[in-house]
Amino acid sequence: MEMDRSAQAYWKAVLKLVGQILIVWFLVSYGAGILFADALNNIHLGGYPLGFWFAQQGSIYVFVALIFIYAKLMGKIDEKFDVHEQ
Amino acid sequence: MSLTAITYLVVGLTFALYIGIAIWARAGSTSEFYVAGGGVHPVLNGMATGADWMSAASFISMAGLIAGMGYGGGLFLMGWTGGYVLLAMLLAPYLRKFGKFTVPQFVGDRFYSKGASSVAVICLLAASLTYIIGQMTGVGVAFSRFLGVSNTAGILIGMTIVFAYAVFGGMKGITYTQVAQYCVLILAYTVPAIFISLQLTGNPLPQLGLGSDMVGTSVPLLEKLNQVVTELGFGEYTTSVPGSKLNMFVYTVSLMIGTAGLPHVIIRFFTVPKVKDARSSAGWALVFIAILYTTAPAVAAMARLNIHATVNEAVLGGGDLFDNENILQYENRPAWMERWEVTGLLQFEDKNNDGRMQYYNDATTDPEVLAKAEAAGWEGSELDVNRDIIVLANPEIAMLPNWVIALVAAGGLAAALSTAAGLLLAISSAISHDLLKDMWMPDLSEKGELLAGKIAMACSLIVAAYLGLNPPGFAAGTVAIAFGLAASSIFPVLMMGIFNKRMNKEGAIAGMLAGLGVTMLYVFAHKGLFFIPGTEFLGLFGGEPNFFFGISPNAFGAIGAIINFAVAYGVSKVTPAPPEHIQELVESVRVPRGSKAVSGGH
């Protein structure tokens, strides 16, 4: 019984992490890059209008960071619940 | 040395390198043929995935499309990178834990049904074949320019080489050759971009150059570009969207989930040693992809500016854009234009017979632009530049040294070949392994399986080349349709297989069929039945293009995916739950411990 609860708790922790990362993922691309791009274009990053920058540069940098953050945090969750590969 | 000689030399050397590696790592058993024995390091695997991923569409076509679309072109950039986040979190580690060779095997086992696995094969074939059509379009552009032949001849020659190449090695050959190909193609992409960025902005990093001021002025490059293109009647570069914001949104979704559902990319994550590696592998792949994808917008904007500057001295020199004295005379056109005219992908038509090359948006509704054009005696835009040539012509347009032009040719060929080969492999394994061996002819020998795989490759190449001769759009646009098909069929079924324990075979099959069916219907209505020109049936839906809320067929995969999820969910509610052992299987896939090397045997 103890083990089973742990498996469910593990899956819950995983889903929570995935959910949090997806929120950031959505905000930088669909949010800043598309939905709010026009408003952000009033702000400039060097010669870039900010909305344009998110759509063509910024979101990509954030995506790369997100995957590594996910991989690292997942590694921690795996060890915490003792399900990591040996 | 002449340009032609240098190009042959550079292309020849890179090919010798790939073939050398392929011989060195020549595939032996079927296990090696498909996934290289499951022992590839995450960084190398990431690089190879990058090469596999960055096809003719990314390398040759994408920046050209962005150059034409401006801001809205960001949908390709976000779509084709954001999908990796989904892939890393939602699919790759679980499919690796599952430990089978192919996507249909996962679907067949998870949904305890050969029917489900057959439907998955159909979805996979539809997406991969469409993808290869887009590749062949790009291959045609690259080879026609490289050999100085027509586009048609380019496609036929390219097809032969791709076939020889894919049959020769297996995945193992391909994994290591693809690492080499990645290096060639990323150099070929970034070196000219660095040169051009230096020329225009004085900043060597294209990613920063795009946001810098024009050399010797305090005007940002993007502002200058905006001013030039709007004055010539085009939409403002930094704000123009394809159709509508809604279309751009849906298009991006479609490319993202398509990325996560494309079989030839997923198959990559079966080749890493551990579940842990599958997660970071996706990250490494994206690092290597991002180098090209963050350079592409700079290439796009700078190429756009350079093309206008080539035919109109007033663009960089200042002065009146509509003064005919500033317009390039046809007889003085640079050599690169002549070279591309041979391929038929760049055309000049002297509509007002003044011997000069007027290039503007003659379809604009801006009365001021039309009035200026009329006053200058312009009778329509006279230059037609196929967007697929922008990247390959880019170093020539910027008058870079010959070795850079040769390098770009080699990079374009590498990109086209590597992806075409990876796709052919996905197709051949689907047919020989999933259909023949697992379903129709279980006692097929290893040799027979390999032979069947090769025959499947040949057939799909012939189909792709035929349709590539009459492509349904630019390379990147056609490839986007392939993503739509993967998005509407494969991504949802994989996701539900992992995240929804209650999903059963009835739901999965109905969902895949509905998603794929609806998407194909919408695409074929616009582009012709199986992309055969002349068989469009838009009339059945009122004849209005993009009739579904203004969403273009290239973007429709996201809608197909929603339908897939909805139908699958509905059907699974009214049909029996999957058996106990399947639910346990799902539980075990969710935890990393106990992962084994991949196996394909039964």
Side-chain angles (χ1 to χ4, degrees), chain B residues 189-239:
Chain B
Y189 206 84
T190 49
V191 169
I194 290 170
F195 270 113
I196 294 169
S197 179
L198 267 174
Q199 275 179 357
L200 288 175
T201 67
N203 194 321
L205 268 184
Q207 288 86 344
L208 299 179
L210 182 58
S212 303
D213 294 344
M214 296 289 290
V215 115
T217 70
S218 56
V219 183
L221 184 135
L222 285 168
E223 199 179 307
K224 175 80 191 169
L225 181 58
N226 270 345
Q227 178 221 324
V228 170
V229 295
T230 45
E231 218 172 302
L232 289 171
F234 298 96
E236 189 180 57
Y237 191 81
T238 55
T239 53

Side-chain angles (χ1 to χ4, degrees), chain B residues 439-482:
Chain B
M439 269 173 276
W440 297 341
M441 304 160 71
D443 46 359
L444 192 66
S445 67
E446 265 206 9
K447 250 190 177 158
E449 200 184 320
L450 278 175
L451 180 69
K454 284 169 186 173
I455 294 172
M457 282 190 193
C459 295
S460 37
L461 255 188
I462 290 169
V463 172
Y466 169 73
L467 292 169
L469 291 173
N470 301 294
F474 296 112
T478 309
V479 165
I481 298 176

Side-chain angles (χ1 to χ4, degrees), chain A residues 4-20 74 77 80-81, chain B residues 94 499 590-591:
Chain A
D4 185 46
R5 251 211 349 263
S6 177
Q8 282 172 9
Y10 168 75
W11 189 238
K12 227 175 142 184
V14 170
L15 291 183
K16 192 175 156 205
L17 174 65
V18 169
Q20 286 165 342
M74 270 304 278
I77 294 180
K80 192 174 151 199
F81 287 87
Chain B
Y94 305 109
F499 288 86
R590 289 176 178 181
V591 287

Side-chain angles (χ1 to χ4, degrees), chain B residues 142-163:
Chain B
F143 275 89
S144 61
R145 168 63 192 85
F146 168 49
L147 299 171
V149 294
S150 74
N151 196 31
T152 310
I155 288 182
L156 295 177
I157 297 167
M159 179 183 90
T160 318
I161 295 179
V162 168
F163 179 69

Side-chain angles (χ1 to χ4, degrees), chain A residues 33-34 47-48 57 83-85, chain B residues 71 207 211 245 275 294 593 595:
Chain A
I34 300 180
Y48 280 115
Q57 295 277 312
V83 292
H84 57 288
E85 293 153 295
Chain B
Y71 156 74
Q207 288 86 344
K245 273 271 166 92
V275 170
T294 53
R593 177 158 301 167
S595 71

